Amino acid sequence: METVTIRRALPTEFDTVGELTARAYLAGGHIAPDNTHYLPVLRDAADRAAKAELLVAVRGEEVCGTVTVARHGGEYTELARPGDLEFRMLAVAPEAAGAGVGRALVGRVLDLAGSENWERVVMYSDSSMTVAHGLYRGMGFRRVPEDDREPVAGVRLLAFALRIQRGVVVHR
């Protein structure tokens, strides 16, 4: 397998990143093709890059994954409290699924959390994203059911958190 590099997305990649994100959510059955609320948000990588940190996974010259990193107080946080780093919209191109791209992206988020001295890394994940839930649990994240929410009828978001202490990942 070719090496995956994680870096900030370039402005010339924003359209590609937006389409990759939408395609991953659609292919996984996590969003309906006629969703007029969240599908445009998934496609708007430029906005995420302007208001948060937009990372990409690149294999060769190909963008094969992405994640949005939001610091507490930023416009893209939903769950983060003071001391929390949050990530959102983790997406892997369907053709790259199972190749460790998602793990590499989450690992980079954990590296950022340790180097920036955040206390926890948190995220919401749609209840249908069972493959992602396995990845999160395997990396030490724990469920925080008291923070679960249902932003619209039929969409249940599950909260996950991983405590970071002095740059060392510890379980919640």
Side-chain angles (χ1 to χ4, degrees):
M1 183 181 97
E2 204 168 347
T3 302
V4 173
T5 302
I6 310 297
R7 60 167 171 75
R8 280 184 185 254
L10 304 172
T12 56
E13 297 168 327
F14 292 167
D15 288 343
T16 299
V17 171
E19 285 309 309
L20 180 151
T21 308
R23 193 163 52 92
Y25 276 63
L26 288 164
H30 308 302
I31 192 167
D34 62 349
N35 183 306
T36 58
H37 172 70
Y38 200 55
L39 202 50
V41 174
L42 294 173
R43 286 189 168 119
D44 196 352
D47 189 66
R48 294 196 300 278
K51 297 175 180 170
E53 186 172 354
L54 183 64
L55 300 177
V56 291
V58 180
R59 198 171 40 200
E61 297 296 317
E62 174 192 7
V63 174
C64 57
T66 183
V67 68
T68 300
V69 181
R71 281 136 181 101
H72 170 69
E75 288 186 45
Y76 273 91
T77 58
E78 293 181 317
L79 178 60
R81 298 182 180 118
D84 291 348
L85 182 68
E86 182 170 343
F87 71 88
R88 300 195 49 201
M89 299 177 213
L90 175 67
V92 176
E95 60 276 10
V101 175
R103 179 175 294 283
L105 285 161
V106 175
R108 179 66 182 128
V109 173
L110 298 179
D111 290 345
L112 283 172
S115 68
E116 295 176 9
N117 294 315
W118 293 96
E119 295 172 18
R120 293 190 317 163
V121 175
V122 298
M123 105 290 290
Y124 278 121
S125 183
D126 188 276
S127 60
S128 69
M129 297 177 168
T130 56
V131 172
H133 302 164
L135 170 67
Y136 304 147
R137 285 187 180 101
M139 295 184 79
F141 284 85
R142 299 291 182 244
R143 286 274 292 112
V144 189
E146 63 271 21
D147 288 331
D148 290 356
R149 67 188 196 104
E150 191 171 323
V152 295
V155 175
R156 184 177 156 133
L157 300 179
L158 307 180
F160 289 82
L162 185 141
R163 189 157 301 282
I164 307 292
Q165 190 171 35
R166 294 187 185 132
V168 176
V169 177
V170 295
H171 300 293
R172 181 176 192 265

